[in-house]
Amino acid sequence: MFTKLYLGSVLLEPKRWSKERHPSIDLREWTPRMLAAGFDGWDMWEFHDQTPPLGEVRVYNSYLLPEEASPEAITDLAERVKRSKATMLKFNVGKAPEAPSRAVPVMMDLAERCPGVDLLCECHPGTALEDPEVAIPWVDVLPERFGVILHPLGEENTILHRYLEAIPERVRLMHLQLKNLETGKRALLEERPDVVRARLEELFELGFDGPATLEFTRGVGGGPEDVPEKLFENAQKDLAFLQIR
């Protein structure tokens, strides 16, 4: 079982992929409901960052590419992360082959500005670190506060095995989302129960003992279910599935 289960605020946000990325929901209104449902805090989409602090942010989900960021942007991000009281910061690097090496001094500076915060690379498809053979040696030489986020229900088994065999102590967080194989759309975890259970059992057998974020659920991506109330209802179904797994 995961040690903690967080709710990705991006899951609730219908404008998550809009060009402007102006949020349509106020997380301060959703925080009591998120906690009452049984989640352990927010994995907060940075565009939901609001003042005063929410007080229940565990992961600060940044979209700032470090190798392209100005010193002013890094200073601003550090202040926002500290204000949120998050203990983890999610980041990515860009597509260029040199992006990872260019990101290192920036992220080292950011780490110094954010004491007590783990800096976690999502190693997302479409970035220079999507290949574990590139990402593993890159993160392995960085200080211990640097780690990675994996997607156990979407990535190939071999990717999970590679990370958890090579750098198990650097695998700090899981992002959970599932797709319907026929439609390609996001699905409830209960729609493919055997697959989900088998993947998670494998994950824990490989030694993972940490938290996870419910990143997406059915309805994310458009359509009649892509509204906050319905998305939250589906998120609660996924949480219930995980709790009785």
Side-chain angles (χ1 to χ4, degrees):
M1 189 65 184
F2 296 110
T3 56
K4 300 287 183 181
L5 283 165
Y6 309 130
L7 179 60
S9 71
V10 69
L11 179 155
L12 296 175
E13 179 55 67
K15 293 186 177 180
R16 66 186 73 81
W17 294 313
S18 65
K19 184 177 180 181
E20 302 81 10
R21 286 180 169 170
H22 291 159
S24 63
I25 62 172
D26 186 335
L27 287 200
R28 291 169 294 190
E29 298 174 359
W30 283 89
T31 296
R33 297 179 64 184
M34 175 272 294
L35 294 172
F39 289 99
D40 295 299
W42 290 114
D43 184 326
M44 185 178 71
W45 188 57
E46 71 175 330
F47 303 100
H48 282 147
D49 192 359
Q50 296 152 335
T51 303
L54 293 165
E56 298 295 341
V57 178
R58 307 293 178 250
V59 185
Y60 197 103
N61 195 323
S62 174
Y63 285 74
L64 185 71
L65 293 179
E67 71 275 12
E68 298 177 2
S70 67
E72 293 78 15
I74 291 298
T75 298
D76 178 64
L77 176 59
E79 289 302 316
R80 287 185 278 120
V81 172
K82 287 190 291 185
R83 188 184 70 210
S84 75
K85 296 182 171 58
T87 57
M88 290 173 274
L89 167 65
K90 185 232 82 174
F91 71 96
N92 272 309
V93 301
K95 298 178 181 180
E98 66 274 12
S101 59
R102 288 173 53 201
V104 169
V106 180
M107 297 309 297
M108 293 289 285
D109 177 44
L110 186 59
E112 187 173 337
R113 294 168 183 260
C114 299
V117 177
D118 284 353
L119 291 85
L120 308 181
C121 182
E122 197 174 14
C123 302
H124 208 282
T127 74
L129 291 177
E130 66 176 309
D131 182 352
E133 301 309 316
V134 177
I136 288 171
W138 181 80
V139 74
D140 196 30
V141 298
L142 292 172
E144 292 182 2
R145 286 171 55 198
F146 286 82
V148 298
I149 299 170
L150 300 181
H151 300 75
L153 304 182
E155 292 167 333
E156 296 295 328
N157 291 43
T158 52
I159 293 179
L160 296 178
H161 278 262
R162 187 71 186 94
Y163 277 104
L164 287 165
E165 289 169 357
I167 50 170
E169 72 286 352
R170 299 301 184 104
V171 181
R172 307 276 172 80
L173 179 67
M174 296 293 156
H175 272 181
L176 305 178
Q177 59 166 295
L178 185 70
K179 287 190 176 181
N180 182 301
L181 292 180
E182 295 182 1
T183 66
K185 294 182 178 180
R186 272 88 184 179
L188 291 170
L189 301 183
E190 64 187 31
E191 293 179 43
R192 298 173 62 194
D194 294 342
V195 170
V196 174
R197 290 193 181 100
R199 274 300 184 94
L200 295 185
E201 287 300 329
E202 181 179 24
L203 177 67
F204 300 134
E205 287 173 3
L206 287 168
F208 181 74
D209 181 27
T213 292
L214 184 60
E215 186 178 27
F216 294 130
T217 189
R218 189 174 72 188
V220 169
E225 288 190 292
D226 199 0
V227 293
E229 287 293 344
K230 187 61 180 178
L231 292 166
F232 187 62
E233 179 184 323
N234 288 343
Q236 291 178 87
K237 292 179 181 178
D238 284 340
L239 177 61
F241 180 91
L242 290 167
Q243 290 174 327
I244 63 172
R245 183 197 61 79

